[in-house]
């Protein structure tokens, strides 16, 4: 809007009031033009129209109040993140670490004395080896290193522990931490002769040189405030992209790679730019060689030894530190220099704190509390002459005039009630969008502000109500009327939830889930009830969306230190699995034993000859009335062996592996039950028809009412069992690996895949650690290609085998199959030498098979790389539905990261029981810190059992 220096005059007819008034007059003229010809302001009809138009204008004004005012007024208190599905930027835009840089930022931010961190994948992606993927090797650079070896070791172990804990709290799916190494310091000694200006002293200059050189060798990680990044032009999405940090924001470009080569000229160039330095007449840099332990002078450049960080050491003496000033040479005072250096470092620290203590959150707009419900009745706005205001009508007025005044009040009452109801809707907007409430209505009403003055108009005819009773009566009338129009509240509330979900580009496949519910539950759970259930699930999804979004790539923390690994704490479940569960209508996801839940609910599965029984113990549950006709018969045949038990419990009989599935599917339908009365014994027999037309006796009651009540309880109980059976287990194959540093790893190289004439398979001579095995493979391939390995045929007990050694005599590979004579092996050596030179290194790497050994049993390493298996119990009615299975599987594939292969398996009760027996014990053992050899072997045993289960399921699929 242009600032003209004055307020522009509003054009006539542009206000809402004028528009309403004009439009209403036009309507009046059309409807009553023949009987009402005067439309001036003194006309009562026009006066009424003006006041109603004004009242509507006031309502429109309130409807246009800022949303923060409406929500704050509606809630009655300050808004917080997550209210109505609105989250602050730090809650909804940040994520748990996904990239290597994300992890680096988090570790640098949270761990004291960690200056920088680097992450490298253990698998070299430039190689073609089919070995493990998703393992991270972490290298750490510290700010300060202790001169005391014991303190240094203790601090390093503490840093490693913190890195490990933070990693497992934020670990990505199907990834694991391979190892952590702390960079060792490499002290560089400086000698120089430097000319300074008159404005700077030698102590300050030396402190600046040490600080600047060290910042060049190992750059400081800079933090930034929200305000700084905004001024640089970064968008909110860019600023909050990544993990939530405690000390501000770190840019990706600040996370530089470690310095590998030091050029002397670069150091000199850095020093020359320091304030006060005029000329560098002489400069020398030296270090103590880690291998020879001798001093070595850097001539032009220097390659920093692996896993070391170069530091300019504070000089032990000033003999070779010379400054010149006005042709006067002098040595700086090292004590003063140390003070100056501390001051410079303190300044940097203060800058860091300034960034970390700044306001780095985007605040929620503060709303003003407005009296939205207030409404001044229309009748009180009319002139006193009308007799409907606060003064009322004169007592001396004729009965006709008094009646007319009452008629006008009654005429205006619906207008006021409608406006009050609209304002009630507006003032309840927070409740309407509140995902934390249990709202069952979408329309709202309120009491008239002047109700006490018009009681005679609203009290029932011939009723002798008190004032309070009349008010309550009118509230009932308006609420009933509101309920009549609000008969589709659930549908509208679902639309509200869908509108909230759209903001995050999320949606529920409501129609598909409704159809699946109908076919699965056979009408036992009505469509309306399921819609209400879905509404609650949607609201839970919106309520948890901040955490789901932040943790969408995060996996389980298997290192949590609770007494047992039950994960009943919903917060511990990764975001992606919460999301999958909610999108598929599973609202009570937990990672506890589902077979134990079944048993705790009172279901016992036990053998009875060839068949099995399910025993459902009686429970007290209120249920709706059932209409079951009771047929009287003279004889009922039952099994004498179970007759006594049938008085105490309910028995269902079925096939061993499917009995639970059939009972949950057919037992929830009342049409499958029948009750027969035996007149001779006066007993009531409850019969159930399962998947076949044949009915079996499941219970015997002594009274008719008791028999009907048992059927009710059984149906409701089975509905609970169905709901509590809906869960799934996640098995990340990476976590099944043994210790990477122990000798569990080997390989196989079938040379026939290179050349069909080479009938030779090479394998590892013995199992090694992961790192040693990979180096062994690399040495073998390089050695064969460059013909620097030694081939030999060795005699073993009753046979011969081929052996390949490096130049140091270490065995790199042996033949997998022994030979009765040495000739075939020598022939293979000659063929190998001739043909191997025709292949590229990458070609050979592609046919190498890497294995993890559990005892003597090998498992292909591709089994562990970015793979997971999901185990679902098959017995709940929805989980038995083929359409639901497809729906669930599609949801899993859509939500999980694309690089992860996921296999889904639907298991019977017995299979789940077997799986859980290994799964939960394995999880318990994983929590143990620094497990000894015996514990590690036990972990490996359970891991291998789980691997076997998955392999068997894959083979059967």
């Amino acid at each position: 809007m242009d600032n003209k220096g004055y307020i522009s005059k509003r054009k006539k007819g542009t206000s809402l009031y004028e528009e309403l008034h004009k439009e209403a007059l036009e309507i009046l003229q059309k409807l009553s033009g023949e009987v009402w010809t005067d439309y001036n302001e003194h006309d009562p009809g026009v006066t009424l129209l003006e006041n109603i138009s004004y009242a509507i204008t006031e309502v429109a004004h309130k409807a246009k109040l800022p949303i923060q005012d409406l929500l704050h007024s509606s809630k009655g208190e300050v808004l917080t993140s997550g209210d109505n599905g609105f989250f602050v930027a730090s809650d909804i835009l940040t994520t748990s670490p996904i990239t290597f840089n994300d992890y680096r930022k988090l570790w640098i931010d949270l761990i004291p004395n960690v200056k920088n961190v680097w992450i490298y994948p253990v698998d070299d992606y430039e190689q073609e080896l089919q070995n493990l993927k998703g393992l991270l090797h972490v290298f750490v650079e510290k700010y300060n290193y202790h001169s005391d070896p014991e303190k240094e070791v203790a601090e390093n172990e503490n840093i490693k522990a913190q890195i490990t804990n933070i990693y497992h709290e934020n670990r990505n799916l199907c990834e694991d931490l391979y190892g952590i190494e702390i960079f060792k310091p490499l002290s560089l000694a400086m000698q120089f002769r430097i000319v300074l200006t008159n404005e700077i002293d030698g102590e300050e200059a030396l402190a600046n040189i040490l600080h600047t050189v060290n910042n060049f060798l190992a750059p400081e990680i800079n933090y930034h405030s929200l305000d700084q990044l905004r001024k640089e032009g970064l968008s909110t999405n860019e600023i909050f992209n990544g993990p939530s940090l405690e000390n501000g924001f770190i840019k990706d470009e600040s996370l530089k790679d470690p310095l590998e080569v030091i050029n002397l000229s670069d150091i000199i160039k850095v020093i020359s730019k320091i304030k006060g330095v005029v000329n560098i007449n002489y400069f020398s840099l030296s270090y103590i060689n880690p291998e020879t332990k001798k001093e070595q002078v850097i001539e032009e450049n220097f390659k920093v030894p692996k896993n070391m960080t170069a530091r300019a050491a504070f000089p032990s003496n000033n003999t070779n530190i010379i400054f010149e000033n006005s042709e006067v040479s002098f040595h700086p005072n090292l004590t003063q220099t140390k003070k100056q250096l501390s001051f410079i470092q303190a300044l940097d620290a203060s800058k860091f704190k300034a960034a970390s203590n700044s306001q780095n959150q985007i605040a929620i707009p503060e709303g003003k509390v407005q009296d939205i419900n207030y409404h001044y009745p229309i009748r009180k706005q009319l002139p006193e002459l009308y007799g409907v205001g606060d003064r009322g009508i004169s007592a001396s007025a004729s009965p006709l005039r008094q009646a007319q005044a009452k008629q006008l009040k009654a005429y205006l009452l619906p207008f006021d009630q409608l406006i009050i109801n609209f304002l009630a809707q507006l003032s309840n907007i927070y409740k309407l969008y509140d995902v934390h409430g249990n709202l069952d209505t979408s329309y709202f009403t309120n009491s008239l502000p002047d109700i006490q003055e018009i009681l005679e108009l609203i009290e029932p005819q011939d009723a002798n109500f008190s004032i309070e009773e009349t008010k309550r009566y009118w509230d009932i009338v308006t609420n009933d009327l509101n309920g009549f129009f609000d008969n589709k509240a659930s549908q509208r509330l679902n639309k509200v939830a869908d509108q909230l979900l759209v903001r995050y580009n999320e949606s529920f496949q409501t129609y598909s889930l409704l159809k699946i519910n109908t076919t699965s539950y056979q009408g036992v759970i009505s469509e309306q009830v399921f819609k209400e259930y879905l509404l609650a699930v949607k609201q839970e999804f919106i309520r948890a969306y901040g955490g789901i979004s932040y943790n969408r790539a995060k996996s389980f923390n298997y290192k949590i230190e609770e007494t047992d690994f039950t994960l009943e704490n919903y917060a511990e479940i990764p975001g992606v699995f919460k999301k999958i569960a909610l999108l598929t209508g599973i609202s009570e996801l937990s990672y506890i034993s589902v077979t134990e839940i079944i048993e705790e609910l009172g279901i016992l599965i036990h053998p009875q000859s060839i068949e099995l029984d399910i025993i459902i113990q009686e429970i007290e549950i209120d249920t709706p009335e059932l209409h079951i006709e009771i047929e009287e018969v003279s004889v009922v045949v039952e099994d004498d062996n179970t007759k006594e038990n049938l008085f105490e419990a309910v028995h269902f009989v079925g096939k061993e592996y499917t009995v639970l599935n059939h009972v949950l599917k057919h037992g929830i339908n009342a049409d499958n039950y029948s009750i027969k009365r035996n007149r001779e014994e006066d007993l009531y027999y409850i019969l159930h028809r399962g998947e076949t037309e044949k009915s079996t006796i499941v219970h015997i009651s002594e009274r008719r009412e008791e028999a009907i009540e048992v059927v009710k309880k059984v149906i409701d109980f089975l509905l609970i069992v169905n709901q509590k059976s809906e869960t799934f287990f996640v098995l990340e194959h990476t976590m099944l690996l043994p210790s990477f540093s122990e000798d569990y790893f080997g390989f196989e190289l079938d040379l026939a895949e290179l050349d069909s004439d080479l009938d030779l398979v090479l394998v590892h001579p013995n199992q090694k650690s992961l790192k040693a095995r990979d180096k062994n493979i690399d040495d073998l391939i390089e050695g064969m290609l460059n013909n620097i390995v030694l081939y030999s045929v060795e005699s073993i007990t009753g046979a011969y085998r081929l052996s390949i050694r490096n130049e140091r005599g270490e065995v790199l590979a042996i033949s997998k199959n022994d030979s009765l004579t040495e000739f075939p092996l020598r022939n293979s050596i000659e063929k190998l030498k001739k043909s191997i030179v025709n292949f590229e290194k990458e070609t050979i790497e592609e046919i190498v098979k890497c294995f993890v050994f559990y005892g003597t049993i090998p498992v292909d390493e591709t089994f562990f790389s970015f793979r997971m298996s999901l185990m679902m119990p098959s017995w709940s009615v929805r989980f038995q539905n083929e359409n639901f299975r497809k729906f669930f599987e599609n949801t899993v594939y859509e939500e999980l990261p694309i690089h992860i292969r996921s296999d889904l398996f639907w298991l019977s009760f017995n299979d789940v029981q077997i799986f859980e027996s290994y799964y939960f014990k394995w999880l318990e053992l994983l929590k143990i810190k620094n497990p000894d050899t015996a514990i590690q072997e036990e972990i490996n045993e359970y891991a291998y059992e789980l691997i076997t289960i998955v392999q068997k399921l894959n083979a059967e699929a």
Side-chain angles (χ1 to χ4, degrees):
M1 177 178 173
D2 296 333
N3 185 2
K4 300 177 180 178
Y6 59 87
I7 300 174
S8 299
K9 185 177 180 180
R10 179 175 59 80
K11 293 179 180 180
K12 189 175 181 180
T14 58
S15 70
L16 177 62
Y17 169 79
E18 289 175 309
E19 290 175 2
L20 288 170
H21 188 262
K22 180 182 178 182
E23 185 178 349
L25 276 178
E26 290 175 355
I27 295 172
L28 282 175
Q29 289 171 347
K30 289 179 181 179
L31 295 176
S32 57
E34 295 179 359
V35 295
W36 186 14
T37 59
D38 190 348
Y39 295 96
N40 292 320
E41 294 180 357
H42 65 269
D43 287 339
V46 173
T47 303
L48 288 176
L49 175 61
E50 288 173 342
N51 282 277
I52 292 172
S53 297
Y54 177 76
I56 295 174
T57 303
E58 185 182 19
V59 169
H61 165 72
K62 290 181 177 179
K64 291 180 180 180
L65 287 171
I67 186 63
Q68 59 265 33
D69 290 1
L70 292 173
L71 290 174
H72 190 168
S73 304
S74 179
K75 183 181 180 183
E77 57 186 66
V78 176
L79 300 174
T80 60
S81 181
D83 281 347
N84 305 122
F86 289 104
F87 296 89
V88 295
S90 56
D91 286 346
I92 201 63
L93 297 180
T94 54
T95 67
S96 59
I98 296 174
T99 67
F100 287 174
N101 279 349
D102 288 344
Y103 280 114
R104 293 173 67 186
K105 291 175 186 177
L106 200 63
W107 284 323
I108 292 167
D109 182 60
L110 295 178
I111 305 176
N113 203 26
V114 169
K115 187 174 186 179
N116 211 334
V117 182
W118 294 275
I119 305 173
Y120 300 98
V122 172
D123 173 63
D124 185 348
Y125 291 110
E126 294 180 358
Q127 293 182 348
E128 300 297 331
L129 284 179
Q130 301 302 307
N131 58 344
L132 296 172
K133 307 288 189 295
L135 303 180
L136 310 184
H137 202 168
V138 177
F139 298 88
V140 182
E141 179 185 51
K142 299 197 301 182
Y143 279 102
N144 302 306
Y145 291 84
H146 294 284
S147 56
D148 185 338
E150 291 185 3
K151 290 183 179 179
E152 180 69 8
V153 169
E155 185 184 54
N156 289 350
E157 290 303 314
N158 182 47
I159 288 174
K160 288 180 181 180
Q162 290 185 73
I163 286 176
T164 301
N165 291 338
I166 293 171
Y167 174 76
H168 282 287
E169 288 171 1
N170 297 277
R171 182 179 63 84
N172 280 339
L173 285 166
C174 296
E175 294 183 4
D176 199 7
L177 196 59
Y178 169 76
I180 305 167
E181 291 187 36
I182 310 291
F183 275 9
K184 295 178 181 177
L186 180 68
S187 296
L188 303 178
M190 292 189 297
Q191 299 178 15
F192 54 73
R193 181 183 288 271
I194 295 177
V195 180
L196 303 176
T197 63
N198 293 330
E199 292 80 19
I200 191 167
D201 59 54
E203 288 74 22
E204 183 182 353
L206 178 56
N208 279 325
I209 289 170
L210 287 168
H211 182 72
T212 305
V213 170
N214 276 329
N215 202 40
F216 171 77
L217 296 171
E220 187 86 17
I221 303 298
N222 295 320
Y223 284 79
H224 303 271
S225 68
L226 176 63
D227 187 56
Q228 287 173 334
L229 296 179
R230 278 179 159 176
K231 287 177 180 177
E232 291 180 19
L234 271 70
S235 68
T236 303
N237 284 346
E238 291 173 318
I239 293 170
F240 286 94
N241 182 28
S244 178
L245 306 180
E246 293 184 356
N247 298 300
F249 302 93
I250 299 175
K251 292 183 180 180
D252 281 353
E253 50 262 39
S254 297
L255 301 170
K256 302 183 184 299
D257 292 331
L259 194 64
E260 296 181 353
V261 178
I262 298 173
N263 292 306
L264 201 61
S265 59
D266 291 338
I267 303 292
I268 294 172
K269 193 180 296 182
V270 166
I271 295 174
S272 67
K273 293 180 181 179
I274 295 174
K275 183 181 178 182
V277 173
V278 176
N279 192 32
I280 302 173
N281 294 332
Y282 167 77
F283 185 82
S284 173
L285 202 62
S286 62
Y287 67 98
I288 303 298
N289 190 305
E291 296 179 0
T292 63
K293 307 300 181 186
K294 293 181 180 179
E295 184 177 13
Q296 190 165 331
V297 178
I298 299 174
E299 298 296 337
E300 294 182 1
N301 54 52
F302 163 64
K303 188 173 182 180
V304 180
K306 190 177 180 181
N307 302 345
M308 296 194 80
T309 177
R311 298 289 176 91
F314 193 89
S316 57
N317 61 71
N318 60 5
T319 305
N320 296 311
I321 305 295
I322 303 171
F323 290 108
E324 292 182 11
N325 192 325
S326 300
E327 298 185 356
V328 176
S329 300
F330 61 92
H331 302 283
N333 184 305
L334 296 183
T335 303
Q336 291 296 324
T337 299
K338 190 168 287 187
K339 291 179 180 179
Q340 289 280 0
L341 184 60
S342 298
F343 176 71
I344 293 170
Q345 292 170 340
L347 281 178
D348 266 7
S350 66
K351 291 177 185 176
F352 169 80
K353 290 178 181 177
S356 65
N357 293 329
S358 62
Q359 181 63 33
N360 290 318
Q361 300 287 341
I362 298 177
I364 299 173
E366 292 187 15
K368 296 178 182 178
V369 177
Q370 308 277 3
D371 190 1
I372 297 173
N373 275 317
Y374 175 75
H375 169 63
Y376 193 65
I378 296 172
R379 69 179 181 82
K380 292 189 177 185
Q381 300 176 31
L382 297 174
E384 284 189 32
L385 179 66
Y386 286 63
V388 294
D390 289 335
R391 290 179 180 270
I393 194 166
S394 172
S396 61
S398 66
L400 174 62
R401 182 72 185 89
Q402 290 184 10
Q404 288 172 336
K406 288 183 180 180
Q407 281 182 324
L408 182 55
K409 285 183 182 180
Y411 174 78
L412 293 174
L413 188 152
F415 291 97
D416 282 326
Q417 186 66 59
L418 283 172
I419 290 173
I420 283 293
N421 287 355
F422 182 88
L423 293 177
Q425 195 76 9
L426 202 58
S427 65
N428 282 286
I429 189 171
Y430 180 87
K431 290 181 181 177
L432 190 63
Y433 283 82
D434 183 19
V435 295
H436 296 83
N438 295 313
L439 203 62
D440 57 2
T441 181
S442 63
Y443 290 158
F444 302 91
T445 185
N446 209 341
S447 297
L448 292 163
D450 59 340
I451 191 169
Q452 195 161 337
E453 301 169 26
I454 54 173
L455 292 175
E456 58 184 341
L457 299 178
I458 61 177
E459 65 182 354
Q461 190 174 5
D462 300 329
N464 188 21
F465 281 1
S466 65
I467 293 175
E468 291 303 319
E469 287 174 333
T470 303
K471 288 180 179 179
R472 283 196 296 271
Y473 164 76
W474 187 247
D475 285 342
I476 292 171
V477 170
T478 54
N479 284 326
D480 286 348
L481 186 62
N482 191 62
F484 174 78
F485 290 105
D486 201 20
N487 57 355
K488 294 183 178 179
S490 176
Q491 182 178 340
R492 278 189 289 273
L493 290 171
N494 266 288
K495 287 182 178 180
V496 168
D498 290 337
Q499 186 267 329
L500 294 175
L501 288 168
V502 166
R503 292 195 309 224
Y504 303 111
N505 196 29
E506 302 287 357
S507 63
F508 271 71
Q509 300 299 320
T510 307
Y511 182 77
S512 297
L513 288 170
L514 282 172
K515 287 298 181 183
I516 290 168
N517 171 75
T518 302
T519 54
S520 298
Y521 282 100
Q522 307 162 51
V524 177
I525 297 180
S526 69
E527 183 173 309
Q528 180 60 31
V529 170
F530 193 71
K531 280 183 179 179
E532 293 171 1
Y533 169 76
L534 277 184
L535 174 61
V537 174
K538 289 178 185 178
Q539 290 176 334
E540 166 63 20
F541 184 59
I542 299 165
R543 188 163 60 245
Y545 199 78
I548 288 174
S549 175
Y550 188 87
N551 298 316
R552 60 180 177 267
K554 191 172 79 170
S555 186
F556 296 96
N557 179 9
Y558 294 109
K559 305 295 181 181
I560 54 176
E561 297 186 12
E562 279 84 357
T563 53
D564 53 38
F565 193 96
T566 58
L567 276 187
E568 289 184 79
N569 183 2
Y570 192 61
E572 294 291 343
I573 298 174
V576 67
F577 298 121
K578 284 184 187 178
K579 186 177 180 181
I580 289 169
L582 291 170
L583 288 176
T584 55
I586 302 172
S587 63
E588 297 185 7
L589 183 66
S590 61
Y591 281 86
I592 57 178
S593 169
V594 69
T595 57
E596 285 186 9
I597 291 176
I598 296 297
E599 292 169 357
E600 288 170 3
L601 285 171
I603 294 180
L604 304 176
I605 297 178
H606 61 89
Q608 180 188 4
S609 64
I610 299 176
E611 298 176 330
L612 295 178
D613 289 347
I614 291 185
I615 302 177
I616 302 177
Q617 297 171 351
E618 289 191 30
I619 51 175
E620 294 296 329
I621 300 176
D622 293 330
T623 58
E625 190 65 35
L626 288 177
H627 300 287
I628 299 178
E629 294 183 4
I630 297 178
E631 178 185 353
E632 291 195 4
V633 295
S634 57
V635 178
V636 176
V637 179
E638 78 273 350
D639 185 349
D640 291 335
N641 296 326
T642 59
K643 182 174 180 179
E644 184 177 345
N645 289 334
L646 288 172
F647 284 97
E648 305 297 328
V650 180
H651 292 243
F652 292 90
V653 179
K655 296 177 182 178
E656 181 176 356
Y657 289 99
T658 58
V659 60
L660 185 57
N661 300 48
H662 294 151
V663 170
L664 292 183
K665 183 176 181 178
H666 301 289
I668 59 174
N669 191 341
D671 294 339
N672 291 329
Y673 293 90
S674 60
I675 299 176
K676 297 182 183 293
R677 182 189 177 199
N678 185 331
R679 292 193 303 270
E680 295 181 358
E681 299 181 357
D682 198 23
L683 295 176
Y684 293 84
Y685 291 81
I686 301 173
L687 285 81
H688 179 259
R689 182 180 69 252
E691 58 181 332
T692 65
E693 292 299 319
K694 181 182 177 182
S695 295
T696 56
I697 301 170
V698 295
H699 186 75
I700 303 174
S701 296
E702 294 179 347
R703 294 184 300 109
R704 175 183 183 278
E705 295 76 10
E706 180 186 291
I708 295 175
E709 188 65 24
V710 166
V711 175
K712 294 178 184 178
K713 289 179 180 180
V714 168
I715 291 173
D716 278 354
F717 176 77
L718 292 179
L719 288 173
I720 293 172
V721 175
N722 270 303
Q723 183 183 14
K724 290 187 176 295
S725 297
E726 291 193 345
T727 188
F728 56 88
F729 300 101
V730 178
L731 185 64
E732 296 174 77
H733 296 192
T734 303
M735 303 309 296
L736 297 168
L737 286 164
S739 172
F740 308 120
S741 59
E742 300 297 327
D743 297 336
Y744 294 110
F745 301 87
F747 69 89
E748 181 179 295
L749 175 56
D750 187 353
L751 294 170
E753 294 186 36
L754 294 176
D755 187 341
S756 57
D757 290 336
L758 283 172
D759 185 17
L760 184 62
V761 179
L762 301 178
V763 295
H764 53 278
N766 45 57
Q767 296 170 25
K768 297 183 178 181
S769 67
L770 176 60
K771 185 176 181 179
R773 189 279 313 275
D774 285 355
K775 186 177 185 307
N776 191 142
I777 295 171
D778 195 55
D779 289 345
L780 174 64
I781 296 173
E782 288 281 358
M784 290 192 300
L785 288 173
N786 296 310
N787 198 25
I788 56 173
V789 292
L790 304 173
Y791 300 92
S792 62
V793 176
E794 298 176 348
S795 174
I796 56 176
T797 306
Y800 297 88
R801 74 179 179 196
L802 182 145
S803 176
I804 303 177
R805 300 173 183 268
N806 60 19
E807 293 172 316
R808 296 186 299 275
E810 299 167 342
V811 180
L812 299 177
I814 59 174
S815 55
K816 181 178 181 179
N817 300 315
D818 300 333
S819 175
L820 295 177
T821 63
E822 59 181 306
F823 176 76
L825 295 176
R826 294 197 181 277
N827 188 36
S828 295
I829 291 173
E830 294 305 316
K831 287 182 180 180
L832 177 57
K833 286 180 178 180
K834 289 179 181 179
S835 64
I836 197 71
V837 295
N838 298 320
F839 298 98
E840 298 291 334
K841 181 180 179 182
E842 292 76 13
T843 306
I844 303 173
E845 287 175 342
E846 286 180 353
I847 65 168
V848 175
K849 293 181 180 178
C850 297
F851 294 100
V852 182
F853 281 82
Y854 293 82
T856 59
I857 304 171
V859 179
D860 195 316
E861 283 185 15
T862 56
F863 176 85
F864 303 96
S865 296
F866 295 129
R867 285 186 62 179
M868 67 168 62
S869 296
L870 274 68
M871 309 293 181
M872 281 71 62
S874 65
W875 52 81
S876 75
V877 290
R878 283 209 310 159
F879 281 25
Q880 292 184 56
N881 188 304
E882 285 300 322
N883 285 325
F884 177 81
R885 293 189 179 189
K886 291 176 184 177
F887 177 79
F888 183 86
E889 289 170 7
N890 288 338
T891 305
V892 169
Y893 297 142
E894 288 173 2
E895 298 300 332
L896 286 178
I898 195 169
H899 68 284
I900 295 175
R901 171 182 164 179
S902 304
D903 296 314
L904 285 74
F905 304 105
W906 302 88
L907 308 184
S908 68
F909 183 86
N910 288 1
D911 290 337
V912 171
Q913 208 165 32
I914 293 169
F915 171 78
E916 287 184 346
S917 66
Y918 299 119
Y919 182 69
F920 287 105
K921 183 60 179 176
W922 171 70
L923 291 177
E924 283 294 326
L925 294 172
L926 279 186
K927 294 188 311 177
I928 300 173
K929 292 185 177 180
N930 304 316
D932 57 27
T933 303
I935 295 295
Q936 185 60 56
E937 288 300 323
E938 191 175 0
I939 293 173
N940 293 346
E941 288 175 12
Y942 285 109
Y944 182 68
E945 293 294 345
L946 293 170
I947 291 169
T948 303
I949 289 173
V950 174
Q951 289 176 330
K952 181 182 177 183
L953 291 170
N954 271 314
E956 294 173 351

